[in-house]
Amino acid sequence: MASRNNSKIAEQTTEERIKEAARKVFQKKGFAATRTRDIAEEAGINLALLNYYFRSKEKLFEIIMLETLFGFMQNLAFIMNDDKSTLQTKVELIASGYIDFIIRNPNVPLFMLSEMRANSGGLLKKLPIKQLVSNSAFLKQHRKAVEEGKIAEPHPLHFLMNLLGLIVFPFIGKPMLQGISGVSDNQFKKIDDAKEEVYPGLD
Amino acid sequence: MASRNNSKIAEQTTEERIKEAARKVFQKKGFAATRTRDIAEEAGINLALLNYYFRSKEKLFEIIMLETLFGFMQNLAFIMNDDKSTLQTKVELIASGYIDFIIRNPNVPLFMLSEMRANSGGLLKKLPIKQLVSNSAFLKQHRKAVEEGKIAEPHPLHFLMNLLGLIVFPFIGKPMLQGISGVSDNQFKKIDDAKEEVYPGLD
DNA sequence: GTCTATAGGGGGATAGAC
DNA sequence: GTCTATCCCCCTATAGAC
């Protein structure tokens, strides 16, 4: 907080440069396969400096991981808590928002999923996410839609699981599915663009 | 093939014991985080013996990876090529088959997805999968169902993506979704058990 | 085939000069 | 704050005895 850099011209502080490099390399290769030397090189600084700022690889990783998780989830929480929007709109916003997000950060989903297992998800406890969702507008609207028979999944988590799976899986499964089917990158993109209406038939 | 062990009493050969241990550790921790010492210990043999049989960590890993991929896909190919079963049945078989498979091998999906990216999916070329699917009964039935307006996804890969996402994501996303929602393991299991009809409304 | 012992290298972290 | 040089542990792979 105290050291936030607000200058418009991106005169990045060294600390920021290192974090940005770490984000890039960690998200691409995962914790175990990443060498601190790679991060230093990517940041254009020396290996010693990395430890000067962040003390250890683990510490740096935890920071990146928490920021990544938070960035991924705050979007979700924001949409879910909007009293004004309908459930249908929420679903569309979540879908389009995350599709945009993943296109900008293609490595994030698999990174999070992989590293959470390795870390047994303990880091999630450090994030104030649960409360944000626990009595959201989304939950009430979902319950109502279930009562009216508009939604097949009776449990909100079940509903959320299916929705996220439909959004995320095409991206993380891409190499495998391409391998099976033999379609080109261009073809794949067209197919995925067609995933506009992720959850049709809500209203 | 030549060295298949068919004895009912599981008198495993040493090579098999090492491979089984490697499978377990690699699938759980991934290539980079796995130490050959862990595999040796898990197999109850010495580290040197591992190299005697498999020459290097990379070689051993590639074998495990290929076998895992093949095991995962041959099930799919078999179901998709059955002329007798309907599309509806195929979907049900794929879903139930993979759910069973994942319950028995909970680490496999994330293992494959993670390690394929690291390896840029090059290993898939070594598997004779594409041909198996390329003119399968599934493809014809899917085309027909699209023409009859029974399926929303016009491209078979799109259809397959959604289906696999619905099956696989609950498992790999479990730690994250539990973190968000705070439900217990028992609750989660109940929710997931409810995913019987993955693709309703086909016929 | 299986072991013990060790070579050899890589990578995280630090000392210390500037 | 930033660098160079270096320490030291850990891990893979191999040599060599049995």
Coordinates of all heavy atoms in Angstrom, one line a residue, chain D:
Chain D
dG1 P 15.1 0.3 -1.7 OP1 14.5 -1.1 -1.6 OP2 16.0 0.7 -0.6 O5' 15.9 0.4 -3.0 C5' 17.3 0.1 -3.0 C4' 17.8 0.2 -4.4 O4' 19.3 0.3 -4.4 C3' 17.5 -1.0 -5.3 O3' 17.7 -0.6 -6.6 C2' 18.6 -2.0 -4.8 C1' 19.8 -1.1 -4.7 N9 20.7 -1.4 -3.5 C8 20.3 -1.7 -2.2 N7 21.4 -1.9 -1.5 C5 22.5 -1.7 -2.3 C6 23.9 -1.8 -2.1 O6 24.4 -2.1 -1.0 N1 24.6 -1.5 -3.2 C2 24.1 -1.2 -4.4 N2 24.9 -1.0 -5.4 N3 22.8 -1.1 -4.7 C4 22.0 -1.4 -3.6
dT2 P 17.3 -1.6 -7.8 OP1 16.9 -0.7 -9.0 OP2 16.4 -2.6 -7.3 O5' 18.7 -2.4 -8.2 C5' 19.7 -1.6 -8.9 C4' 21.0 -2.5 -8.9 O4' 21.5 -2.6 -7.6 C3' 20.8 -3.9 -9.4 O3' 21.3 -4.0 -10.7 C2' 21.6 -4.7 -8.4 C1' 22.4 -3.7 -7.6 N1 22.7 -4.1 -6.2 C2 24.0 -4.2 -5.8 O2 24.9 -4.0 -6.5 N3 24.1 -4.5 -4.5 C4 23.1 -4.8 -3.5 O4 23.4 -5.1 -2.4 C5 21.8 -4.7 -4.0 C7 20.6 -5.0 -3.1 C6 21.6 -4.3 -5.3
dC3 P 21.4 -5.4 -11.5 OP1 21.3 -5.2 -12.9 OP2 20.4 -6.3 -10.8 O5' 22.8 -6.0 -11.1 C5' 24.0 -5.3 -11.7 C4' 25.2 -5.7 -11.0 O4' 25.1 -5.6 -9.6 C3' 25.6 -7.2 -11.2 O3' 26.5 -7.3 -12.3 C2' 26.3 -7.5 -9.9 C1' 25.9 -6.4 -8.9 N1 25.2 -7.0 -7.7 C2 26.0 -7.3 -6.6 O2 27.2 -7.1 -6.6 N3 25.3 -7.8 -5.5 C4 24.0 -7.9 -5.5 N4 23.4 -8.4 -4.4 C5 23.2 -7.6 -6.7 C6 23.9 -7.2 -7.7
dT4 P 26.9 -8.8 -12.8 OP1 27.4 -8.7 -14.2 OP2 25.7 -9.7 -12.5 O5' 28.1 -9.2 -11.9 C5' 29.2 -8.4 -11.6 C4' 30.2 -9.1 -10.8 O4' 29.7 -9.3 -9.4 C3' 30.5 -10.6 -11.2 O3' 31.9 -10.8 -11.0 C2' 29.7 -11.4 -10.4 C1' 29.6 -10.7 -9.1 N1 28.4 -10.8 -8.3 C2 28.5 -11.1 -6.9 O2 29.5 -11.3 -6.4 N3 27.3 -11.2 -6.3 C4 26.0 -11.1 -6.8 O4 25.0 -11.2 -6.2 C5 26.0 -10.7 -8.3 C7 24.7 -10.5 -9.0 C6 27.2 -10.6 -8.9
dA5 P 32.6 -12.2 -11.5 OP1 33.9 -12.0 -12.0 OP2 31.6 -13.0 -12.3 O5' 32.7 -13.0 -10.1 C5' 33.1 -12.3 -8.9 C4' 33.0 -13.2 -7.7 O4' 31.7 -13.2 -7.1 C3' 33.4 -14.7 -8.0 O3' 34.3 -15.2 -7.0 C2' 32.0 -15.4 -8.1 C1' 31.3 -14.6 -7.1 N9 29.8 -14.5 -7.3 C8 29.2 -14.4 -8.5 N7 27.9 -14.4 -8.4 C5 27.6 -14.6 -7.0 C6 26.4 -14.7 -6.3 N6 25.2 -14.6 -6.8 N1 26.5 -14.8 -4.9 C2 27.8 -14.9 -4.4 N3 29.0 -14.8 -5.0 C4 28.8 -14.6 -6.3
dT6 P 34.8 -16.7 -7.0 OP1 36.2 -16.6 -6.5 OP2 34.5 -17.3 -8.4 O5' 33.8 -17.4 -6.0 C5' 33.5 -16.7 -4.8 C4' 32.5 -17.4 -4.0 O4' 31.2 -17.2 -4.4 C3' 32.7 -19.0 -4.0 O3' 32.7 -19.4 -2.7 C2' 31.5 -19.4 -4.8 C1' 30.5 -18.4 -4.4 N1 29.3 -18.3 -5.3 C2 28.0 -18.2 -4.7 O2 27.8 -18.2 -3.5 N3 27.0 -18.1 -5.6 C4 27.1 -18.0 -7.0 O4 26.1 -17.9 -7.7 C5 28.4 -18.1 -7.5 C7 28.6 -18.0 -9.0 C6 29.4 -18.2 -6.6
dC7 P 33.3 -20.9 -2.3 OP1 34.6 -20.6 -1.8 OP2 33.0 -21.8 -3.5 O5' 32.3 -21.3 -1.1 C5' 31.7 -20.3 -0.3 C4' 30.3 -20.8 0.1 O4' 29.4 -20.5 -1.0 C3' 30.2 -22.3 0.4 O3' 29.6 -22.4 1.7 C2' 29.4 -22.8 -0.7 C1' 28.5 -21.7 -1.1 N1 28.1 -21.6 -2.5 C2 26.7 -21.5 -2.8 O2 25.9 -21.4 -1.8 N3 26.3 -21.5 -4.1 C4 27.1 -21.6 -5.1 N4 26.6 -21.6 -6.3 C5 28.5 -21.7 -4.8 C6 28.9 -21.8 -3.6
dC8 P 29.9 -23.7 2.5 OP1 29.8 -23.3 4.0 OP2 31.0 -24.4 2.0 O5' 28.5 -24.5 2.3 C5' 27.3 -23.8 2.2 C4' 26.2 -24.7 1.6 O4' 26.2 -24.5 0.2 C3' 26.5 -26.2 1.8 O3' 25.3 -26.9 2.1 C2' 27.0 -26.6 0.4 C1' 26.1 -25.8 -0.5 N1 26.5 -25.6 -1.9 C2 25.6 -25.3 -2.8 O2 24.4 -25.2 -2.5 N3 25.9 -25.1 -4.1 C4 27.2 -25.3 -4.5 N4 27.6 -25.1 -5.8 C5 28.2 -25.6 -3.5 C6 27.9 -25.7 -2.2
dC9 P 25.3 -28.1 3.1 OP1 25.4 -27.6 4.5 OP2 26.3 -29.1 2.6 O5' 23.9 -28.6 2.9 C5' 22.8 -27.7 2.6 C4' 22.0 -28.1 1.4 O4' 22.8 -27.8 0.2 C3' 21.7 -29.5 1.3 O3' 20.3 -29.6 1.2 C2' 22.4 -30.1 0.1 C1' 22.5 -28.8 -0.7 N1 23.6 -28.8 -1.8 C2 23.3 -28.4 -3.1 O2 22.2 -28.2 -3.4 N3 24.3 -28.4 -4.0 C4 25.6 -28.7 -3.6 N4 26.5 -28.6 -4.6 C5 25.9 -29.1 -2.3 C6 24.9 -29.1 -1.4
dC10 P 19.5 -31.0 1.6 OP1 18.6 -30.6 2.6 OP2 20.5 -32.0 1.7 O5' 18.7 -31.3 0.2 C5' 18.3 -30.2 -0.6 C4' 18.3 -30.8 -2.1 O4' 19.6 -30.7 -2.6 C3' 17.9 -32.2 -2.1 O3' 16.9 -32.4 -3.1 C2' 19.2 -32.9 -2.6 C1' 19.9 -31.8 -3.4 N1 21.4 -31.9 -3.5 C2 22.0 -31.7 -4.8 O2 21.3 -31.3 -5.7 N3 23.3 -31.8 -4.9 C4 24.0 -32.1 -3.8 N4 25.4 -32.2 -4.0 C5 23.4 -32.4 -2.6 C6 22.1 -32.3 -2.5
dC11 P 16.1 -33.7 -3.2 OP1 14.8 -33.4 -2.7 OP2 16.9 -34.8 -2.6 O5' 16.0 -34.0 -4.8 C5' 16.3 -33.0 -5.7 C4' 17.1 -33.6 -6.9 O4' 18.5 -33.5 -6.6 C3' 16.7 -35.0 -7.2 O3' 16.3 -35.2 -8.5 C2' 18.0 -35.8 -6.9 C1' 19.1 -34.7 -7.1 N1 20.4 -34.9 -6.5 C2 21.6 -34.8 -7.2 O2 21.5 -34.5 -8.4 N3 22.8 -35.0 -6.6 C4 22.8 -35.3 -5.3 N4 24.0 -35.4 -4.7 C5 21.6 -35.4 -4.5 C6 20.4 -35.2 -5.1
dT12 P 15.7 -36.5 -9.0 OP1 14.4 -36.1 -9.6 OP2 15.8 -37.5 -8.0 O5' 16.6 -36.9 -10.3 C5' 16.9 -36.0 -11.3 C4' 18.2 -36.4 -12.0 O4' 19.3 -36.4 -11.0 C3' 18.2 -37.8 -12.6 O3' 18.5 -37.7 -14.0 C2' 19.3 -38.6 -11.8 C1' 20.2 -37.4 -11.3 N1 20.9 -37.7 -10.0 C2 22.3 -37.7 -10.0 O2 23.0 -37.4 -11.0 N3 22.9 -38.0 -8.8 C4 22.2 -38.3 -7.6 O4 22.9 -38.6 -6.6 C5 20.8 -38.3 -7.7 C7 20.0 -38.7 -6.5 C6 20.2 -38.1 -8.9
dA13 P 18.4 -39.0 -14.9 OP1 18.1 -38.5 -16.3 OP2 17.5 -40.0 -14.3 O5' 19.9 -39.6 -14.9 C5' 20.9 -38.7 -15.2 C4' 22.3 -39.4 -14.9 O4' 22.5 -39.4 -13.4 C3' 22.3 -40.8 -15.4 O3' 23.5 -40.9 -16.2 C2' 22.4 -41.7 -14.1 C1' 23.0 -40.7 -13.1 N9 22.7 -40.9 -11.7 C8 21.5 -41.1 -11.2 N7 21.5 -41.3 -9.9 C5 22.9 -41.3 -9.5 C6 23.5 -41.4 -8.3 N6 22.9 -41.7 -7.2 N1 24.9 -41.3 -8.3 C2 25.5 -41.1 -9.5 N3 25.0 -40.9 -10.7 C4 23.6 -41.0 -10.7
dT14 P 23.8 -42.4 -16.9 OP1 24.2 -42.0 -18.3 OP2 22.6 -43.3 -16.7 O5' 25.0 -42.9 -16.1 C5' 26.1 -42.0 -15.8 C4' 27.1 -42.6 -14.9 O4' 26.6 -42.7 -13.6 C3' 27.5 -44.0 -15.3 O3' 28.9 -44.2 -15.1 C2' 26.7 -44.9 -14.3 C1' 26.9 -43.9 -13.1 N1 25.9 -44.2 -12.0 C2 26.4 -44.3 -10.7 O2 27.6 -44.2 -10.4 N3 25.5 -44.5 -9.7 C4 24.1 -44.7 -9.9 O4 23.3 -44.9 -9.0 C5 23.7 -44.6 -11.3 C7 22.2 -44.7 -11.7 C6 24.6 -44.3 -12.2
dA15 P 29.7 -45.3 -15.9 OP1 30.3 -44.6 -17.1 OP2 28.8 -46.5 -16.1 O5' 30.9 -45.6 -14.9 C5' 31.3 -44.6 -13.9 C4' 31.9 -45.3 -12.7 O4' 30.8 -45.5 -11.7 C3' 32.5 -46.7 -13.0 O3' 33.6 -46.8 -12.2 C2' 31.4 -47.7 -12.5 C1' 30.8 -46.9 -11.4 N9 29.4 -47.2 -11.1 C8 28.3 -47.3 -12.0 N7 27.2 -47.5 -11.4 C5 27.5 -47.6 -10.1 C6 26.6 -47.9 -9.0 N6 25.3 -48.1 -9.0 N1 27.2 -48.0 -7.8 C2 28.6 -47.8 -7.7 N3 29.4 -47.5 -8.7 C4 28.8 -47.4 -9.9
dG16 P 34.7 -48.0 -12.5 OP1 36.0 -47.4 -12.2 OP2 34.4 -48.6 -13.8 O5' 34.3 -49.0 -11.3 C5' 34.2 -48.5 -10.0 C4' 33.6 -49.7 -9.1 O4' 32.1 -49.6 -9.2 C3' 34.0 -51.1 -9.6 O3' 34.2 -51.8 -8.4 C2' 32.8 -51.6 -10.3 C1' 31.7 -51.0 -9.4 N9 30.4 -50.9 -10.0 C8 30.0 -50.8 -11.3 N7 28.7 -50.8 -11.5 C5 28.2 -50.9 -10.2 C6 26.9 -51.0 -9.7 O6 25.8 -50.9 -10.4 N1 26.8 -51.2 -8.4 C2 27.9 -51.2 -7.5 N2 27.6 -51.4 -6.2 N3 29.1 -51.2 -7.9 C4 29.2 -51.0 -9.3
dA17 P 34.9 -53.3 -8.5 OP1 36.4 -53.1 -8.3 OP2 34.4 -54.0 -9.6 O5' 34.4 -54.0 -7.1 C5' 34.3 -53.3 -5.9 C4' 33.2 -53.8 -5.1 O4' 31.9 -53.5 -5.7 C3' 33.2 -55.4 -4.9 O3' 32.9 -55.7 -3.5 C2' 32.2 -55.9 -5.9 C1' 31.2 -54.7 -5.9 N9 30.4 -54.6 -7.1 C8 30.9 -54.4 -8.3 N7 29.9 -54.3 -9.3 C5 28.7 -54.5 -8.5 C6 27.4 -54.5 -8.9 N6 27.0 -54.3 -10.2 N1 26.5 -54.7 -8.0 C2 26.9 -54.8 -6.7 N3 28.1 -54.8 -6.2 C4 29.0 -54.7 -7.2
dC18 P 33.2 -57.2 -3.0 OP1 33.4 -57.1 -1.6 OP2 34.2 -57.8 -3.9 O5' 31.8 -57.9 -3.3 C5' 30.7 -57.7 -2.4 C4' 29.4 -58.3 -2.9 O4' 29.1 -57.7 -4.2 C3' 29.6 -59.8 -3.2 O3' 28.9 -60.5 -2.1 C2' 28.8 -60.0 -4.5 C1' 28.3 -58.7 -4.9 N1 28.4 -58.3 -6.3 C2 27.2 -58.3 -7.1 O2 26.1 -58.5 -6.5 N3 27.2 -58.0 -8.4 C4 28.4 -57.8 -9.0 N4 28.4 -57.5 -10.3 C5 29.6 -57.9 -8.3 C6 29.5 -58.1 -7.0

